Amino acid sequence: MSQVEKDVQQWLEDVVIGLNLCPFAAKPNRNKQIKIHVCEDASEDVLLETIYQELQTLDQTPVEELETTLVVAPNLFKEFDDYNQFLDLVEGLVIQMNKSGIYQIASFHPDYCFYGAEPEDAENLTNRSPYPIFHLIREESMEKVLKHYPDPDGIPERNVECVENLTDAQKRKLFPYLIK
């Protein structure tokens, strides 16, 4: 396992699952149904092709074997704005593949900043990761889980409250890649 994979796995376990930011991640992580695919290339074209291939892999692999994929781009998108613009291409790819309603993309970046938020706002921590990540999610799986989850609409608000209540020491421990 590469250092990038280790960093992403650590983030997944300590932040996403540890803080329960995604209440649906623990089970597929425990069952080893989450793929972390690192695209080391520094070409946006290669990354887009990689995402296309990973969507194809999800199509061809039973959900019992592979629930979801995190495509990590450690050598691209130092600037969040560049990442955000590329995200539009990824969304366009999903549409072009006729996979809208089948897959959705969740986005994570070290400098993630929600629209209308200030960069230093705690709420951004919910989507901050050690590297730019494109999370390829099966919509059918999300729908199944959401049916049995109490108050799914409250998840974002609960997540913001969770990260706002972290101490500085907790933030340093959970987000060491944010300490410059």
Side-chain angles (χ1 to χ4, degrees), residues 61-154:
T61 308
V63 69
E64 300 79 30
E65 291 176 35
L66 179 61
E67 177 68 53
T68 192
T69 301
L70 301 171
V71 178
V72 186
N75 299 316
L76 282 168
F77 311 118
K78 299 298 177 221
E79 299 296 323
F80 177 66
D81 287 342
D82 296 336
Y83 170 87
N84 219 16
Q85 286 180 5
F86 186 80
L87 190 57
D88 289 340
L89 291 176
V90 175
E91 298 285 353
L93 174 66
V94 172
I95 292 166
Q96 189 176 20
M97 292 175 69
N98 292 319
K99 299 296 179 184
S100 293
I102 297 171
Y103 298 109
Q104 62 178 268
I105 311 299
S107 53
F108 302 93
H109 188 278
D111 295 321
Y112 199 96
C113 188
F114 284 103
Y115 180 78
E118 294 298 321
E120 64 278 357
D121 289 351
E123 69 186 81
N124 297 316
L125 291 174
T126 64
N127 286 60
R128 290 207 171 154
S129 57
Y131 307 97
I133 297 174
F134 301 88
H135 181 191
L136 314 179
I137 303 168
R138 297 177 190 260
E139 288 215 10
E140 188 176 346
S141 296
M142 286 299 297
E143 288 167 9
K144 279 183 191 173
V145 174
L146 288 173
K147 278 183 193 172
H148 306 290
Y149 190 80
D151 189 29
D153 293 336

Side-chain angles (χ1 to χ4, degrees), residues 29-75:
N29 186 59
R30 206 173 32 252
N31 294 339
K32 303 201 179 317
Q33 296 168 291
I34 299 175
K35 179 179 182 181
I36 298 171
H37 181 95
V38 179
C39 179
E40 295 279 358
D41 207 287
S43 161
E44 291 182 15
D45 291 341
V46 171
L47 177 60
L48 197 59
E49 176 64 27
T50 299
I51 292 170
Y52 172 80
Q53 294 297 332
E54 291 304 319
L55 287 166
Q56 295 282 74
T57 299
L58 282 169
D59 264 351
Q60 298 160 7
T61 308
V63 69
E64 300 79 30
E65 291 176 35
L66 179 61
E67 177 68 53
T68 192
T69 301
L70 301 171
V71 178
V72 186
N75 299 316

